Amino acid sequence: MIREERRPARAGRGESVQMHVIVVGGGAAGMMAAIAAARGGARVTLLERNEKLGKKLYITGKGRCNVTNAGDMDHLFANVMTNAKFLYSAFYSFDNRALMELLEAAGCPLKTERGERVFPVSDHSSDVIAALAGEMKQLGVEVRLHTRVKGLWWEEWPAQSRESGNRNGALAQGPGAGAAESGEGRKAAAPGEKDGAAGTAKGAQGTGVVRGVELAEGKRLEADRVILATGGLSYASTGSTGDGFLLAKETGHGMIECRPSLVPFRVREEWCRDLMGISLRNVSLSLYQGNKEIYCGFGEMLFTHFGVSGPLVLSASSYYVTKCRGEARLLIDLKPALDAPQLDRRVLRDFEENRNRQFKNALGQLFPTRLIPVMIRLSGIPPEKPVNEITREERKTFVELIKALPLTVIGVRGYEEAVITKGGVSVRDVNPSTMESRKVRGLYFAGEMLDLDALTGGYNLQIAWSTGHLAGDSAAQSV
């Protein structure tokens, strides 16, 4: 038997009405949505399937949590990869400065580091989570942990109501009418339940209204508004298993193919394994598909047992999953501060200082120790060859190698190593001014569920904060 928790009766004429907003998901977007809705005067219930809030936030930035980027608005938009224009209302209504002020007022002092990246002064992501949790507690948000949402409880508009436009906002009683009493009505499928053949619900053409959610245990919670902020598919161990995508799909929302992004590259070259653990700073990385340059950036990267990773590679991967098919070429410029003639003079100077040594013993000032054998092997110059016997052509080839160390990208790692999910709920089905669904009235989306993503540097979290805040504020105000 389905049990229900009903909201308080509607206030009488002349009395104020307190909205009940349910937020599904206790990550960055969900917590911010709950805070904004509560500040807007709503009664808020946050449902989180895990044993604690902010589980993915906890591991963000290797536990340091790069909460946002302190750059100006143009800088923020320039680093959004997908659907930047959709974020105008979200960013301008709650920007990086507003986020920083909120966190610091909630007891989490911040600092700004290289690249305008903002972190908690303590370097502990737990302080960010504690600040948000404390703010929710102060605002009276009810947080329910170990609570998994199985489906959405919603009602369709009948066809005649959709055709008439229903301009006064009154919702006709669809097939879910009387659900609170009968236990019937539409609900969106949860993981493991069969999806429709076309992948959409009957109400996809028109519209319905949300009534609440159904929990895994069969219990229903009634609400005026529901905000889905369940995250994407990356780091499934933190609870991001795609539940929200299925709920969105079943209620008729378009879905953009999901792919792991901000994710390490797998490469063909075996010599990468010899360099596992070596970090290169202040290098330039270029990504090519055929002869076309897809990406070029400057920063830090890391060699791994399967290929390459690090901030520079993660940013490149966002371009790769969007614009490349199959194999691609990576070229690493180990000395980007020097052009080829300058580097040639630098190498020549080193060779002059080591003219009586073997080639393998003359490179200590150019590369990290473990990189030297790889560079020697790729150069084609015999390691025991005396430096004073190296020809001009050999030196030129060696300089070219330093400026363009080649790797072959054969793919990316999976969701378990991806920082974010690219793709998700189509923004065409969401109102950018409110984050409300265009398909189901009273249903809102926030964070990684949406087809929005950005490069590394705090931008993706700012998307979560901004969309969550807009969704929560809009849900509380939409009477």
PDB file of all heavy atoms in Angstrom, residues 230-268:
ATOM      1  N   THR A 230      20.044  15.842  -9.402  1.00  0.00           N
ATOM      2  CA  THR A 230      20.623  14.545  -9.056  1.00  0.00           C
ATOM      3  C   THR A 230      21.998  14.295  -9.679  1.00  0.00           C
ATOM      4  O   THR A 230      22.554  13.214  -9.516  1.00  0.00           O
ATOM      5  CB  THR A 230      19.673  13.414  -9.484  1.00  0.00           C
ATOM      6  OG1 THR A 230      19.458  13.490 -10.902  1.00  0.00           O
ATOM      7  CG2 THR A 230      18.342  13.524  -8.768  1.00  0.00           C
ATOM      8  N   GLY A 231      22.538  15.275 -10.397  1.00  0.00           N
ATOM      9  CA  GLY A 231      23.863  15.112 -10.972  1.00  0.00           C
ATOM     10  C   GLY A 231      23.858  14.326 -12.272  1.00  0.00           C
ATOM     11  O   GLY A 231      22.804  14.003 -12.830  1.00  0.00           O
ATOM     12  N   GLY A 232      25.064  14.023 -12.759  1.00  0.00           N
ATOM     13  CA  GLY A 232      25.212  13.308 -14.025  1.00  0.00           C
ATOM     14  C   GLY A 232      25.553  11.850 -13.820  1.00  0.00           C
ATOM     15  O   GLY A 232      24.945  11.165 -12.997  1.00  0.00           O
ATOM     16  N   LEU A 233      26.570  11.381 -14.546  1.00  0.00           N
ATOM     17  CA  LEU A 233      26.970   9.974 -14.490  1.00  0.00           C
ATOM     18  C   LEU A 233      28.393   9.786 -13.982  1.00  0.00           C
ATOM     19  O   LEU A 233      28.834   8.654 -13.793  1.00  0.00           O
ATOM     20  CB  LEU A 233      26.848   9.346 -15.888  1.00  0.00           C
ATOM     21  CG  LEU A 233      25.427   9.250 -16.454  1.00  0.00           C
ATOM     22  CD1 LEU A 233      25.475   8.916 -17.938  1.00  0.00           C
ATOM     23  CD2 LEU A 233      24.616   8.206 -15.703  1.00  0.00           C
ATOM     24  N   SER A 234      29.120  10.875 -13.786  1.00  0.00           N
ATOM     25  CA  SER A 234      30.512  10.753 -13.356  1.00  0.00           C
ATOM     26  C   SER A 234      30.598  10.456 -11.865  1.00  0.00           C
ATOM     27  O   SER A 234      29.777  10.919 -11.077  1.00  0.00           O
ATOM     28  CB  SER A 234      31.282  12.037 -13.674  1.00  0.00           C
ATOM     29  OG  SER A 234      30.685  13.144 -13.049  1.00  0.00           O
ATOM     30  N   TYR A 235      31.598   9.662 -11.494  1.00  0.00           N
ATOM     31  CA  TYR A 235      31.803   9.259 -10.098  1.00  0.00           C
ATOM     32  C   TYR A 235      30.540   8.639  -9.511  1.00  0.00           C
ATOM     33  O   TYR A 235      29.950   9.150  -8.560  1.00  0.00           O
ATOM     34  CB  TYR A 235      32.250  10.451  -9.248  1.00  0.00           C
ATOM     35  CG  TYR A 235      33.613  10.997  -9.590  1.00  0.00           C
ATOM     36  CD1 TYR A 235      33.768  12.320 -10.001  1.00  0.00           C
ATOM     37  CD2 TYR A 235      34.748  10.198  -9.520  1.00  0.00           C
ATOM     38  CE1 TYR A 235      35.011  12.823 -10.333  1.00  0.00           C
ATOM     39  CE2 TYR A 235      35.999  10.693  -9.854  1.00  0.00           C
ATOM     40  CZ  TYR A 235      36.133  12.014 -10.258  1.00  0.00           C
ATOM     41  OH  TYR A 235      37.368  12.508 -10.586  1.00  0.00           O
ATOM     42  N   ALA A 236      30.127   7.505 -10.098  1.00  0.00           N
ATOM     43  CA  ALA A 236      28.892   6.847  -9.662  1.00  0.00           C
ATOM     44  C   ALA A 236      28.934   6.480  -8.180  1.00  0.00           C
ATOM     45  O   ALA A 236      27.888   6.391  -7.530  1.00  0.00           O
ATOM     46  CB  ALA A 236      28.651   5.594 -10.499  1.00  0.00           C
ATOM     47  N   SER A 237      30.127   6.275  -7.636  1.00  0.00           N
ATOM     48  CA  SER A 237      30.244   5.909  -6.215  1.00  0.00           C
ATOM     49  C   SER A 237      29.730   7.006  -5.301  1.00  0.00           C
ATOM     50  O   SER A 237      29.451   6.759  -4.120  1.00  0.00           O
ATOM     51  CB  SER A 237      31.706   5.592  -5.868  1.00  0.00           C
ATOM     52  OG  SER A 237      32.529   6.731  -6.086  1.00  0.00           O
ATOM     53  N   THR A 238      29.601   8.234  -5.834  1.00  0.00           N
ATOM     54  CA  THR A 238      29.085   9.334  -5.016  1.00  0.00           C
ATOM     55  C   THR A 238      27.570   9.465  -5.128  1.00  0.00           C
ATOM     56  O   THR A 238      26.981  10.375  -4.539  1.00  0.00           O
ATOM     57  CB  THR A 238      29.740  10.668  -5.429  1.00  0.00           C
ATOM     58  OG1 THR A 238      29.330  11.002  -6.769  1.00  0.00           O
ATOM     59  CG2 THR A 238      31.251  10.593  -5.372  1.00  0.00           C
ATOM     60  N   GLY A 239      26.953   8.568  -5.886  1.00  0.00           N
ATOM     61  CA  GLY A 239      25.495   8.610  -6.036  1.00  0.00           C
ATOM     62  C   GLY A 239      25.025   9.122  -7.378  1.00  0.00           C
ATOM     63  O   GLY A 239      23.821   9.160  -7.637  1.00  0.00           O
ATOM     64  N   SER A 240      25.953   9.522  -8.250  1.00  0.00           N
ATOM     65  CA  SER A 240      25.578  10.033  -9.580  1.00  0.00           C
ATOM     66  C   SER A 240      25.392   8.855 -10.535  1.00  0.00           C
ATOM     67  O   SER A 240      26.302   8.498 -11.274  1.00  0.00           O
ATOM     68  CB  SER A 240      26.667  10.973 -10.107  1.00  0.00           C
ATOM     69  OG  SER A 240      26.796  12.092  -9.283  1.00  0.00           O
ATOM     70  N   THR A 241      24.214   8.265 -10.497  1.00  0.00           N
ATOM     71  CA  THR A 241      23.963   7.065 -11.285  1.00  0.00           C
ATOM     72  C   THR A 241      22.964   7.284 -12.417  1.00  0.00           C
ATOM     73  O   THR A 241      22.523   6.331 -13.047  1.00  0.00           O
ATOM     74  CB  THR A 241      23.443   5.941 -10.369  1.00  0.00           C
ATOM     75  OG1 THR A 241      22.286   6.413  -9.673  1.00  0.00           O
ATOM     76  CG2 THR A 241      24.514   5.531  -9.366  1.00  0.00           C
ATOM     77  N   GLY A 242      22.586   8.522 -12.660  1.00  0.00           N
ATOM     78  CA  GLY A 242      21.705   8.807 -13.776  1.00  0.00           C
ATOM     79  C   GLY A 242      20.222   8.674 -13.479  1.00  0.00           C
ATOM     80  O   GLY A 242      19.394   8.691 -14.397  1.00  0.00           O
ATOM     81  N   ASP A 243      19.847   8.557 -12.206  1.00  0.00           N
ATOM     82  CA  ASP A 243      18.433   8.435 -11.847  1.00  0.00           C
ATOM     83  C   ASP A 243      17.612   9.593 -12.412  1.00  0.00           C
ATOM     84  O   ASP A 243      16.525   9.399 -12.967  1.00  0.00           O
ATOM     85  CB  ASP A 243      18.271   8.428 -10.322  1.00  0.00           C
ATOM     86  CG  ASP A 243      18.814   7.157  -9.686  1.00  0.00           C
ATOM     87  OD1 ASP A 243      19.644   6.495 -10.320  1.00  0.00           O
ATOM     88  OD2 ASP A 243      18.410   6.839  -8.554  1.00  0.00           O
ATOM     89  N   GLY A 244      18.125  10.794 -12.256  1.00  0.00           N
ATOM     90  CA  GLY A 244      17.386  11.973 -12.697  1.00  0.00           C
ATOM     91  C   GLY A 244      17.167  12.013 -14.190  1.00  0.00           C
ATOM     92  O   GLY A 244      16.139  12.510 -14.672  1.00  0.00           O
ATOM     93  N   PHE A 245      18.119  11.473 -14.966  1.00  0.00           N
ATOM     94  CA  PHE A 245      17.962  11.443 -16.411  1.00  0.00           C
ATOM     95  C   PHE A 245      16.752  10.592 -16.816  1.00  0.00           C
ATOM     96  O   PHE A 245      16.009  10.940 -17.730  1.00  0.00           O
ATOM     97  CB  PHE A 245      19.217  10.883 -17.082  1.00  0.00           C
ATOM     98  CG  PHE A 245      20.413  11.795 -16.990  1.00  0.00           C
ATOM     99  CD1 PHE A 245      21.694  11.274 -16.940  1.00  0.00           C
ATOM    100  CD2 PHE A 245      20.260  13.172 -16.969  1.00  0.00           C
ATOM    101  CE1 PHE A 245      22.804  12.108 -16.870  1.00  0.00           C
ATOM    102  CE2 PHE A 245      21.357  14.016 -16.903  1.00  0.00           C
ATOM    103  CZ  PHE A 245      22.631  13.483 -16.849  1.00  0.00           C
ATOM    104  N   LEU A 246      16.571   9.473 -16.141  1.00  0.00           N
ATOM    105  CA  LEU A 246      15.437   8.612 -16.453  1.00  0.00           C
ATOM    106  C   LEU A 246      14.122   9.293 -16.098  1.00  0.00           C
ATOM    107  O   LEU A 246      13.138   9.183 -16.828  1.00  0.00           O
ATOM    108  CB  LEU A 246      15.568   7.288 -15.709  1.00  0.00           C
ATOM    109  CG  LEU A 246      16.727   6.387 -16.144  1.00  0.00           C
ATOM    110  CD1 LEU A 246      16.712   5.084 -15.360  1.00  0.00           C
ATOM    111  CD2 LEU A 246      16.664   6.098 -17.631  1.00  0.00           C
ATOM    112  N   LEU A 247      14.107   9.998 -14.975  1.00  0.00           N
ATOM    113  CA  LEU A 247      12.894  10.722 -14.588  1.00  0.00           C
ATOM    114  C   LEU A 247      12.567  11.807 -15.612  1.00  0.00           C
ATOM    115  O   LEU A 247      11.405  12.004 -15.982  1.00  0.00           O
ATOM    116  CB  LEU A 247      13.072  11.343 -13.204  1.00  0.00           C
ATOM    117  CG  LEU A 247      13.403  10.388 -12.047  1.00  0.00           C
ATOM    118  CD1 LEU A 247      13.480  11.163 -10.745  1.00  0.00           C
ATOM    119  CD2 LEU A 247      12.374   9.283 -11.950  1.00  0.00           C
ATOM    120  N   ALA A 248      13.588  12.517 -16.060  1.00  0.00           N
ATOM    121  CA  ALA A 248      13.382  13.574 -17.056  1.00  0.00           C
ATOM    122  C   ALA A 248      12.904  12.994 -18.379  1.00  0.00           C
ATOM    123  O   ALA A 248      11.994  13.528 -19.028  1.00  0.00           O
ATOM    124  CB  ALA A 248      14.679  14.354 -17.259  1.00  0.00           C
ATOM    125  N   LYS A 249      13.497  11.902 -18.780  1.00  0.00           N
ATOM    126  CA  LYS A 249      13.132  11.282 -20.058  1.00  0.00           C
ATOM    127  C   LYS A 249      11.690  10.791 -20.039  1.00  0.00           C
ATOM    128  O   LYS A 249      10.934  10.980 -20.996  1.00  0.00           O
ATOM    129  CB  LYS A 249      14.086  10.123 -20.344  1.00  0.00           C
ATOM    130  CG  LYS A 249      13.922   9.494 -21.717  1.00  0.00           C
ATOM    131  CD  LYS A 249      14.978   8.420 -21.916  1.00  0.00           C
ATOM    132  CE  LYS A 249      14.839   7.772 -23.296  1.00  0.00           C
ATOM    133  NZ  LYS A 249      15.842   6.702 -23.487  1.00  0.00           N
ATOM    134  N   GLU A 250      11.293  10.182 -18.932  1.00  0.00           N
ATOM    135  CA  GLU A 250       9.941   9.635 -18.843  1.00  0.00           C
ATOM    136  C   GLU A 250       8.878  10.729 -18.825  1.00  0.00           C
ATOM    137  O   GLU A 250       7.736  10.491 -19.213  1.00  0.00           O
ATOM    138  CB  GLU A 250       9.822   8.750 -17.586  1.00  0.00           C
ATOM    139  CG  GLU A 250       8.455   8.106 -17.371  1.00  0.00           C
ATOM    140  CD  GLU A 250       8.094   7.095 -18.451  1.00  0.00           C
ATOM    141  OE1 GLU A 250       8.982   6.675 -19.208  1.00  0.00           O
ATOM    142  OE2 GLU A 250       6.901   6.748 -18.536  1.00  0.00           O
ATOM    143  N   THR A 251       9.244  11.911 -18.396  1.00  0.00           N
ATOM    144  CA  THR A 251       8.280  13.010 -18.396  1.00  0.00           C
ATOM    145  C   THR A 251       8.351  13.831 -19.685  1.00  0.00           C
ATOM    146  O   THR A 251       7.872  14.959 -19.741  1.00  0.00           O
ATOM    147  CB  THR A 251       8.492  13.923 -17.171  1.00  0.00           C
ATOM    148  OG1 THR A 251       9.886  14.158 -16.970  1.00  0.00           O
ATOM    149  CG2 THR A 251       7.910  13.294 -15.926  1.00  0.00           C
ATOM    150  N   GLY A 252       8.990  13.265 -20.712  1.00  0.00           N
ATOM    151  CA  GLY A 252       8.915  13.860 -22.039  1.00  0.00           C
ATOM    152  C   GLY A 252      10.015  14.820 -22.398  1.00  0.00           C
ATOM    153  O   GLY A 252       9.941  15.480 -23.433  1.00  0.00           O
ATOM    154  N   HIS A 253      11.061  14.921 -21.600  1.00  0.00           N
ATOM    155  CA  HIS A 253      12.133  15.874 -21.879  1.00  0.00           C
ATOM    156  C   HIS A 253      13.155  15.275 -22.835  1.00  0.00           C
ATOM    157  O   HIS A 253      13.539  14.109 -22.715  1.00  0.00           O
ATOM    158  CB  HIS A 253      12.820  16.292 -20.575  1.00  0.00           C
ATOM    159  CG  HIS A 253      11.905  17.005 -19.631  1.00  0.00           C
ATOM    160  ND1 HIS A 253      11.076  16.329 -18.763  1.00  0.00           N
ATOM    161  CD2 HIS A 253      11.669  18.323 -19.438  1.00  0.00           C
ATOM    162  CE1 HIS A 253      10.371  17.204 -18.070  1.00  0.00           C
ATOM    163  NE2 HIS A 253      10.708  18.419 -18.463  1.00  0.00           N
ATOM    164  N   GLY A 254      13.602  16.090 -23.773  1.00  0.00           N
ATOM    165  CA  GLY A 254      14.633  15.648 -24.697  1.00  0.00           C
ATOM    166  C   GLY A 254      15.949  15.432 -23.969  1.00  0.00           C
ATOM    167  O   GLY A 254      16.274  16.141 -23.020  1.00  0.00           O
ATOM    168  N   MET A 255      16.699  14.436 -24.417  1.00  0.00           N
ATOM    169  CA  MET A 255      17.981  14.119 -23.801  1.00  0.00           C
ATOM    170  C   MET A 255      19.092  14.205 -24.838  1.00  0.00           C
ATOM    171  O   MET A 255      18.979  13.645 -25.930  1.00  0.00           O
ATOM    172  CB  MET A 255      17.954  12.713 -23.201  1.00  0.00           C
ATOM    173  CG  MET A 255      16.962  12.533 -22.054  1.00  0.00           C
ATOM    174  SD  MET A 255      17.389  13.524 -20.605  1.00  0.00           S
ATOM    175  CE  MET A 255      18.999  12.858 -20.224  1.00  0.00           C
ATOM    176  N   ILE A 256      20.150  14.921 -24.489  1.00  0.00           N
ATOM    177  CA  ILE A 256      21.348  14.985 -25.326  1.00  0.00           C
ATOM    178  C   ILE A 256      22.293  13.879 -24.886  1.00  0.00           C
ATOM    179  O   ILE A 256      22.497  13.669 -23.686  1.00  0.00           O
ATOM    180  CB  ILE A 256      22.039  16.356 -25.200  1.00  0.00           C
ATOM    181  CG1 ILE A 256      21.040  17.491 -25.504  1.00  0.00           C
ATOM    182  CG2 ILE A 256      23.245  16.432 -26.124  1.00  0.00           C
ATOM    183  CD1 ILE A 256      20.393  17.416 -26.864  1.00  0.00           C
ATOM    184  N   GLU A 257      22.834  13.147 -25.838  1.00  0.00           N
ATOM    185  CA  GLU A 257      23.697  12.001 -25.530  1.00  0.00           C
ATOM    186  C   GLU A 257      24.743  12.359 -24.474  1.00  0.00           C
ATOM    187  O   GLU A 257      25.429  13.377 -24.582  1.00  0.00           O
ATOM    188  CB  GLU A 257      24.411  11.528 -26.795  1.00  0.00           C
ATOM    189  CG  GLU A 257      25.354  10.361 -26.557  1.00  0.00           C
ATOM    190  CD  GLU A 257      26.194  10.031 -27.782  1.00  0.00           C
ATOM    191  OE1 GLU A 257      26.066  10.743 -28.801  1.00  0.00           O
ATOM    192  OE2 GLU A 257      26.991   9.078 -27.712  1.00  0.00           O
ATOM    193  N   CYS A 258      24.860  11.510 -23.478  1.00  0.00           N
ATOM    194  CA  CYS A 258      25.811  11.751 -22.392  1.00  0.00           C
ATOM    195  C   CYS A 258      27.157  11.090 -22.690  1.00  0.00           C
ATOM    196  O   CYS A 258      27.219   9.963 -23.185  1.00  0.00           O
ATOM    197  CB  CYS A 258      25.257  11.205 -21.072  1.00  0.00           C
ATOM    198  SG  CYS A 258      23.837  12.112 -20.444  1.00  0.00           S
ATOM    199  N   ARG A 259      28.217  11.813 -22.369  1.00  0.00           N
ATOM    200  CA  ARG A 259      29.590  11.308 -22.524  1.00  0.00           C
ATOM    201  C   ARG A 259      30.446  11.814 -21.379  1.00  0.00           C
ATOM    202  O   ARG A 259      30.202  12.909 -20.871  1.00  0.00           O
ATOM    203  CB  ARG A 259      30.188  11.797 -23.847  1.00  0.00           C
ATOM    204  CG  ARG A 259      29.598  11.174 -25.094  1.00  0.00           C
ATOM    205  CD  ARG A 259      29.954  11.958 -26.337  1.00  0.00           C
ATOM    206  NE  ARG A 259      29.230  13.226 -26.382  1.00  0.00           N
ATOM    207  CZ  ARG A 259      29.441  14.165 -27.285  1.00  0.00           C
ATOM    208  NH1 ARG A 259      30.354  13.997 -28.208  1.00  0.00           N
ATOM    209  NH2 ARG A 259      28.747  15.283 -27.271  1.00  0.00           N
ATOM    210  N   PRO A 260      31.443  11.044 -20.966  1.00  0.00           N
ATOM    211  CA  PRO A 260      32.354  11.552 -19.928  1.00  0.00           C
ATOM    212  C   PRO A 260      33.169  12.712 -20.469  1.00  0.00           C
ATOM    213  O   PRO A 260      33.588  12.706 -21.633  1.00  0.00           O
ATOM    214  CB  PRO A 260      33.240  10.337 -19.614  1.00  0.00           C
ATOM    215  CG  PRO A 260      33.153   9.458 -20.819  1.00  0.00           C
ATOM    216  CD  PRO A 260      31.799   9.690 -21.412  1.00  0.00           C
ATOM    217  N   SER A 261      33.382  13.738 -19.652  1.00  0.00           N
ATOM    218  CA  SER A 261      34.174  14.891 -20.075  1.00  0.00           C
ATOM    219  C   SER A 261      35.042  15.369 -18.917  1.00  0.00           C
ATOM    220  O   SER A 261      34.817  15.002 -17.762  1.00  0.00           O
ATOM    221  CB  SER A 261      33.254  16.014 -20.554  1.00  0.00           C
ATOM    222  OG  SER A 261      34.008  17.047 -21.163  1.00  0.00           O
ATOM    223  N   LEU A 262      35.998  16.210 -19.245  1.00  0.00           N
ATOM    224  CA  LEU A 262      37.059  16.564 -18.292  1.00  0.00           C
ATOM    225  C   LEU A 262      37.610  15.258 -17.728  1.00  0.00           C
ATOM    226  O   LEU A 262      37.552  14.975 -16.537  1.00  0.00           O
ATOM    227  CB  LEU A 262      36.527  17.479 -17.187  1.00  0.00           C
ATOM    228  CG  LEU A 262      35.951  18.826 -17.643  1.00  0.00           C
ATOM    229  CD1 LEU A 262      35.598  19.681 -16.441  1.00  0.00           C
ATOM    230  CD2 LEU A 262      36.912  19.573 -18.560  1.00  0.00           C
ATOM    231  N   VAL A 263      38.163  14.479 -18.638  1.00  0.00           N
ATOM    232  CA  VAL A 263      38.531  13.092 -18.352  1.00  0.00           C
ATOM    233  C   VAL A 263      39.906  12.805 -18.962  1.00  0.00           C
ATOM    234  O   VAL A 263      40.267  13.384 -19.986  1.00  0.00           O
ATOM    235  CB  VAL A 263      37.442  12.158 -18.944  1.00  0.00           C
ATOM    236  CG1 VAL A 263      37.343  12.319 -20.455  1.00  0.00           C
ATOM    237  CG2 VAL A 263      37.654  10.716 -18.558  1.00  0.00           C
ATOM    238  N   PRO A 264      40.714  11.945 -18.347  1.00  0.00           N
ATOM    239  CA  PRO A 264      42.044  11.641 -18.892  1.00  0.00           C
ATOM    240  C   PRO A 264      41.977  10.979 -20.269  1.00  0.00           C
ATOM    241  O   PRO A 264      40.983  10.339 -20.629  1.00  0.00           O
ATOM    242  CB  PRO A 264      42.636  10.680 -17.855  1.00  0.00           C
ATOM    243  CG  PRO A 264      41.908  10.976 -16.588  1.00  0.00           C
ATOM    244  CD  PRO A 264      40.512  11.329 -17.018  1.00  0.00           C
ATOM    245  N   PHE A 265      43.073  11.135 -21.020  1.00  0.00           N
ATOM    246  CA  PHE A 265      43.211  10.511 -22.331  1.00  0.00           C
ATOM    247  C   PHE A 265      43.899   9.149 -22.218  1.00  0.00           C
ATOM    248  O   PHE A 265      44.842   8.981 -21.439  1.00  0.00           O
ATOM    249  CB  PHE A 265      44.081  11.373 -23.260  1.00  0.00           C
ATOM    250  CG  PHE A 265      43.364  12.546 -23.869  1.00  0.00           C
ATOM    251  CD1 PHE A 265      43.997  13.776 -23.952  1.00  0.00           C
ATOM    252  CD2 PHE A 265      42.083  12.422 -24.382  1.00  0.00           C
ATOM    253  CE1 PHE A 265      43.361  14.866 -24.525  1.00  0.00           C
ATOM    254  CE2 PHE A 265      41.433  13.508 -24.952  1.00  0.00           C
ATOM    255  CZ  PHE A 265      42.076  14.725 -25.025  1.00  0.00           C
ATOM    256  N   ARG A 266      43.446   8.220 -23.063  1.00  0.00           N
ATOM    257  CA  ARG A 266      44.191   6.990 -23.289  1.00  0.00           C
ATOM    258  C   ARG A 266      45.033   7.191 -24.549  1.00  0.00           C
ATOM    259  O   ARG A 266      44.528   7.722 -25.552  1.00  0.00           O
ATOM    260  CB  ARG A 266      43.241   5.799 -23.491  1.00  0.00           C
ATOM    261  CG  ARG A 266      42.440   5.445 -22.249  1.00  0.00           C
ATOM    262  CD  ARG A 266      41.574   4.215 -22.457  1.00  0.00           C
ATOM    263  NE  ARG A 266      40.538   4.419 -23.452  1.00  0.00           N
ATOM    264  CZ  ARG A 266      40.480   3.820 -24.625  1.00  0.00           C
ATOM    265  NH1 ARG A 266      41.444   2.975 -24.989  1.00  0.00           N
ATOM    266  NH2 ARG A 266      39.496   4.067 -25.471  1.00  0.00           N
ATOM    267  N   VAL A 267      46.298   6.798 -24.497  1.00  0.00           N
ATOM    268  CA  VAL A 267      47.181   6.985 -25.653  1.00  0.00           C
ATOM    269  C   VAL A 267      47.807   5.666 -26.064  1.00  0.00           C
ATOM    270  O   VAL A 267      47.884   4.717 -25.283  1.00  0.00           O
ATOM    271  CB  VAL A 267      48.276   8.037 -25.368  1.00  0.00           C
ATOM    272  CG1 VAL A 267      47.667   9.365 -24.937  1.00  0.00           C
ATOM    273  CG2 VAL A 267      49.254   7.534 -24.333  1.00  0.00           C
ATOM    274  N   ARG A 268      48.262   5.613 -27.321  1.00  0.00           N
ATOM    275  CA  ARG A 268      48.833   4.385 -27.866  1.00  0.00           C
ATOM    276  C   ARG A 268      50.273   4.157 -27.408  1.00  0.00           C
ATOM    277  O   ARG A 268      50.691   3.022 -27.174  1.00  0.00           O
ATOM    278  CB  ARG A 268      48.782   4.427 -29.392  1.00  0.00           C
ATOM    279  CG  ARG A 268      49.520   3.251 -30.043  1.00  0.00           C
ATOM    280  CD  ARG A 268      49.338   3.190 -31.536  1.00  0.00           C
ATOM    281  NE  ARG A 268      47.955   2.895 -31.890  1.00  0.00           N
ATOM    282  CZ  ARG A 268      47.199   3.661 -32.659  1.00  0.00           C
ATOM    283  NH1 ARG A 268      47.691   4.775 -33.152  1.00  0.00           N
ATOM    284  NH2 ARG A 268      45.970   3.334 -32.939  1.00  0.00           N
TER     285      ARG A 268
END
